[in-house]
Amino acid sequence: RVSGEYVAICEGDDYWTDPDKLQRQLDYMRHRPEYTLCFHPVKVVYEDMPEVEEQYPEHPNPKPSLSDLVAHNFIQTNSVFYRWRYRGGEKLEIGRGIIPADWYIHLMHAEVGRIGFLPQIMGVYRKHAGGMWAAFDTVLARHKRLGKSEIEFYRQLRGHFGGRYAAEYEVTQKRIFRRLAEAYLDEEDPERFAQLIEDNLDIAETALTELGLTTDWPRQDPTALRTWIEDQLTLSVIVTSYNHVGTIRRCLDGVLGQRGLFRMQVVVGDDRSTDGSAEIIEEYRLRHPDRIIVRPRERNLGMLQNMRDCIAACTGRFIAFCEGDDHWISDRKIGLQLRMLRTDPSLDMCFNWVLLHHVANGSFMPHEEQGRYQTGTISFPMLARAPLTANFSACFYRADALRRVPESFYDEQGAADWLMNLYIADKGRIAFLREILSVYTIQTKGQWSGLDETIKNLLIGQYQKRFATIFGEGRGFEKYEVGCTIAELDGELPDSFARANLESPRDRVWAEVQDGQVVFTGWIVAANRDKATLIAEVDSEVQRIPVDIHRPDVIAAVLGDMPTTMEEARCGFRFVLPYALHLEVLLQIEVAHAVVPWLSIILTHRVKKTD
């Protein structure tokens, strides 16, 4: 019904704050006939947090393109001003049920003209419980309610734009599909999973492959679909026990309480307990005869032989462990670890962050060393430095990888979980999941946990020497130092852009790596005091590091005056990267959407000389 040459939009729960807003945008467009829309930033206010105010977009690009808008909707609805393209015979066709419609209209205009930007804040976007988008606490919650419409939105754009944009839109469609599919797997909801597939047959095949599932799904039959999923996602949980009468119930309850669409077998190896543990295990077996298998023991086998027998009895494609005195504290532990291996065929094993329970004083503490790492790959040298995996109860394996561990392993003495995981990491990839999902009980009389820390450190050194004879020297078992070579990229950084300094690591200085990580610190002062961001590229992966550490000393030294506000003094940065015998880092500096290369850093190692 629109008849005007220009169109602005303001939804009823938002408002404009500048009486000259429309005039400013009208004048802007009249002087720029090649532009078909323009926008401005808005202030964002929260109904339930009146003290919080933000700006959207936070860092606007003053010269946005259609490609930018394809990637992200940075135009708030109550800020847009169109030169309306649908005044003649052309009709605005918005597919039924697609969301978000405003982004769709933005794109329809941006494809036939340029996008303009006015820097003044001239409106308010209110976020409140009744708002269409703000009502959702998480992205997943939004997808559950609106995901079908969101996927259809990108499908419409794929059909409209095609070409180089089609691939980007398909990636986004499949991302939403996968998020919903993962949620339905977690919630054991084959009906909604089946409907998701039927609604999206054009992307279902590739999306299911990315989920680690086959593409021969049964059509329109949720019961058959459940069986189809469970046939592929089979796993075995090994519970090893010896005189764990006080903890075995908690252990088994945590295992049996796991939720998700998978088929689970529980293999219990009680190593001839004498304290009543076997009777409790039998009680659970009688209650769950279709899930629990108990391995008979005529004599005590010892931990590793007990484990070997249990592994031989496993039928699942994946295998997890829970020792009888440990327990899992999340009913999604298996589901989360299964997801890691299911969606990444190159991964053979993953382990979660553990909570240490010190029985002597009753305390619970997160594993400190694991806490230094983010979710991601753990290399062989990183694992060689220390038993980072903590214990078997945190570990989740691809069954085929476990069966590649040599038989000689089961005759070893000490450091069993560490050595097994080194065997896995030697031939494949392992990863860390930074979520606390299990408890490792530190017993006062445990084979390992009951030892004094000094003795543990001595034993670790002895184990590393022995492991070096198994896997070879130069793999990370020896103590070593790291040397750094730094070179400026594309010549010296121009002062007209920014002044910067890398304080550590230092060029051509050898230093011992602490905790398996290299610490990078320094500062950046951008010209005109603009906000700077540090960009670090490692193995084609990019990290954006905020430059936000309070460094008034730098401002005073560089600019010759003291900063007047706390914000003005935020020019320092600090970040860490895991070190695995060789590391190459490219650093760039971003200021006001301009990016300038800064430094190339190469770190190499040498075995540390000892007296």
Side-chain angles (χ1 to χ4, degrees):
R1 299 183 182 182
V2 171
S3 59
E5 180 181 355
Y6 300 95
V7 172
I9 301 175
C10 188
E11 296 175 308
D13 53 351
D14 301 327
Y15 56 94
W16 297 336
T17 56
D18 188 330
D20 296 324
K21 168 191 153 66
L22 293 181
Q23 188 64 54
R24 290 176 191 270
Q25 291 184 292
L26 178 62
D27 292 344
Y28 183 95
M29 298 293 281
R30 280 179 172 171
H31 287 91
R32 296 168 178 82
E34 72 276 20
Y35 285 70
T36 49
L37 73 161
C38 67
F39 73 103
H40 57 79
V42 298
K43 182 168 70 173
V44 182
V45 298
Y46 294 81
E47 183 180 71
D48 57 345
M49 295 184 293
E51 71 282 1
V52 176
E53 290 186 0
E54 298 174 347
Q55 174 185 306
Y56 185 83
E58 184 178 3
H59 301 294
N61 180 355
K63 296 181 179 180
S65 66
L66 174 61
S67 295
D68 296 328
L69 191 57
V70 163
H72 173 59
N73 183 17
F74 46 80
I75 302 177
Q76 174 54 32
T77 309
N78 69 327
S79 77
V80 72
F81 189 92
Y82 304 107
R83 190 188 310 278
W84 197 245
R85 67 174 282 191
Y86 299 104
R87 294 183 68 219
E90 191 176 5
K91 186 178 180 182
L92 174 61
E93 297 284 355
I94 301 179
R96 181 179 177 82
I98 72 166
I99 293 175
D102 61 337
W103 190 7
Y104 185 86
I105 300 172
H106 300 341
L107 288 163
M108 294 304 102
H109 283 80
E111 73 169 337
V112 294
R114 298 181 64 182
I115 306 169
F117 173 70
L118 286 75
Q120 301 91 345
I121 294 177
M122 296 186 283
V124 168
Y125 168 41
R126 294 177 59 246
K127 286 196 172 185
H128 55 91
M132 183 173 185
W133 301 106
F136 303 109
D137 294 334
T138 64
V139 172
L140 177 59
R142 189 187 80 214
H143 287 335
K144 283 185 174 181
R145 178 74 178 275
L146 305 173
K148 181 178 179 180
S149 297
E150 290 179 290
I151 293 175
E152 182 58 32
F153 167 76
Y154 291 106
R155 183 175 290 116
Q156 293 275 341
L157 293 181
R158 274 178 62 197
H160 182 88
F161 285 102
R164 63 192 178 100
Y165 299 120
E168 295 180 44
Y169 286 131
E170 184 175 353
V171 166
T172 306
Q173 281 182 283
K174 289 189 291 186
R175 185 185 304 121
I176 298 171
F177 182 106
R178 290 195 305 272
R179 284 174 180 162
L180 288 170
E182 294 288 6
Y184 301 151
L185 288 173
D186 285 345
E187 296 163 5
E188 302 181 49
D189 193 342
E191 288 80 9
R192 295 175 76 180
F193 197 110
Q195 190 60 55
L196 177 67
I197 294 174
E198 294 302 319
D199 288 342
N200 299 284
L201 293 174
D202 57 328
I203 60 171
E205 186 168 320
T206 53
L208 288 171
T209 300
E210 291 167 359
L211 287 166
L213 298 171
T214 60
T215 57
D216 55 343
W217 69 88
R219 298 291 299 272
Q220 300 177 335
D221 185 346
T223 302
L225 186 71
R226 173 187 282 272
T227 301
W228 172 77
I229 293 171
E230 292 179 345
D231 284 346
Q232 296 177 73
L233 305 182
T234 60
L235 58 95
S236 300
V237 179
I238 293 174
V239 175
T240 54
S241 174
Y242 180 67
N243 288 345
H244 291 146
V245 68
T247 57
I248 191 65
R249 289 185 186 276
R250 184 176 59 189
C251 170
L252 290 171
D253 287 340
V255 170
L256 294 168
Q258 295 298 300
R259 62 183 175 91
L261 274 178
F262 47 78
R263 185 174 296 123
M264 184 171 69
Q265 169 202 42
V266 182
V267 179
V268 183
D270 181 71
D271 206 13
R272 294 292 289 182
S273 293
T274 58
D275 65 346
S277 298
E279 288 75 12
I280 295 173
I281 291 167
E282 178 62 13
E283 173 192 326
Y284 274 78
R285 187 193 68 80
L286 292 173
R287 261 193 275 160
H288 304 276
D290 56 332
R291 303 182 78 183
I292 296 179
I293 296 173
V294 179
R295 301 297 294 165
R297 295 284 178 264
E298 295 182 358
R299 60 183 178 83
N300 181 280
L301 299 179
M303 185 183 78
L304 290 182
Q305 294 300 326
N306 186 20
M307 179 185 295
R308 175 164 63 177
D309 178 77
C310 289
I311 291 173
C314 290
T315 59
R317 293 176 57 198
F318 304 91
I319 296 177
F321 292 86
C322 193
E323 298 177 71
D325 57 345
D326 298 330
H327 63 284
W328 297 344
I329 55 176
S330 170
D331 60 1
R332 297 186 62 232
K333 177 188 188 295
I334 286 293
L336 291 170
Q337 293 185 299
L338 176 61
R339 180 187 300 180
M340 285 193 83
L341 269 61
R342 171 168 48 78
T343 57
D344 188 346
S346 68
L347 270 182
D348 283 334
M349 175 266 189
C350 66
F351 64 101
N352 60 265
W353 196 2
V354 303
L355 192 65
L356 303 178
H357 176 206
H358 295 271
V359 174
N361 58 20
S363 66
F364 290 84
M365 295 184 62
H367 192 290
E368 183 178 1
E369 188 168 2
Q370 288 181 340
R372 299 187 179 105
Y373 292 85
Q374 298 299 316
T375 294
T377 299
I378 299 296
S379 67
F380 186 96
M382 292 163 69
L383 186 58
R385 283 192 292 271
L388 188 61
T389 50
N391 77 333
F392 279 117
S393 299
C395 300
F396 187 89
Y397 301 88
R398 211 174 288 278
D400 290 343
L402 261 188
R403 294 191 172 101
R404 290 198 300 266
V405 173
E407 285 294 308
S408 59
F409 162 77
Y410 298 99
D411 297 322
E412 291 283 347
Q413 297 295 321
D417 53 331
W418 189 11
L419 179 56
M420 175 179 275
N421 293 326
L422 284 167
Y423 275 119
I424 301 295
D426 185 44
K427 301 298 183 184
R429 282 182 58 230
I430 70 173
F432 173 57
L433 175 60
R434 189 186 166 86
E435 290 201 38
I436 295 179
L437 305 174
S438 62
V439 171
Y440 174 20
T441 302
I442 309 296
Q443 302 281 7
T444 53
K445 296 182 180 180
Q447 286 184 338
W448 174 260
S449 58
L451 298 176
D452 178 80
E453 287 299 318
T454 303
I455 296 175
K456 283 184 184 178
N457 290 331
L458 288 172
L459 285 174
I460 285 174
Q462 293 175 11
Y463 291 144
Q464 287 173 319
K465 289 180 181 179
R466 180 157 58 88
F467 295 163
T469 66
I470 297 173
F471 299 101
E473 295 184 354
R475 302 293 304 277
F477 297 110
E478 308 90 346
K479 291 188 179 297
Y480 55 84
E481 299 172 309
V482 171
C484 178
T485 303
I486 301 174
E488 292 182 334
L489 293 168
D490 294 344
E492 188 175 346
L493 184 71
D495 286 349
S496 59
F497 181 76
R499 297 174 69 178
N501 181 48
L502 182 70
E503 295 173 328
S504 68
R506 295 166 59 194
D507 188 29
R508 305 185 190 282
V509 173
W510 292 90
E512 185 174 345
V513 170
Q514 297 295 318
D515 303 318
Q517 300 187 88
V518 178
V519 179
F520 295 77
T521 62
W523 52 263
I524 300 170
V525 178
N528 302 321
R529 306 291 284 274
D530 287 333
K531 189 71 176 175
T533 300
L534 184 65
I535 301 173
E537 181 178 340
V538 183
D539 294 332
S540 300
E541 293 187 4
V542 174
Q543 295 185 35
R544 297 176 63 84
I545 294 99
V547 180
D548 58 1
I549 295 176
H550 190 234
R551 292 291 302 273
D553 58 314
V554 171
I555 299 299
V558 173
L559 301 180
D561 61 354
M562 291 300 293
T564 57
T565 67
M566 178 78 78
E567 192 62 31
E568 286 183 349
R570 295 188 184 280
C571 62
F573 63 82
R574 183 185 188 278
F575 67 101
V576 297
L577 292 173
Y579 181 72
L581 305 187
H582 185 79
L583 182 65
E584 295 186 23
V585 186
L586 298 179
L587 296 182
Q588 302 178 85
I589 298 172
E590 180 183 68
V591 178
H593 302 287
V595 178
V596 172
W598 182 27
L599 299 175
S600 166
I601 305 167
I602 299 176
L603 296 109
T604 55
H605 83 287
R606 67 183 181 190
V607 175
K608 186 177 180 181
K609 295 180 180 179
T610 57
D611 296 332

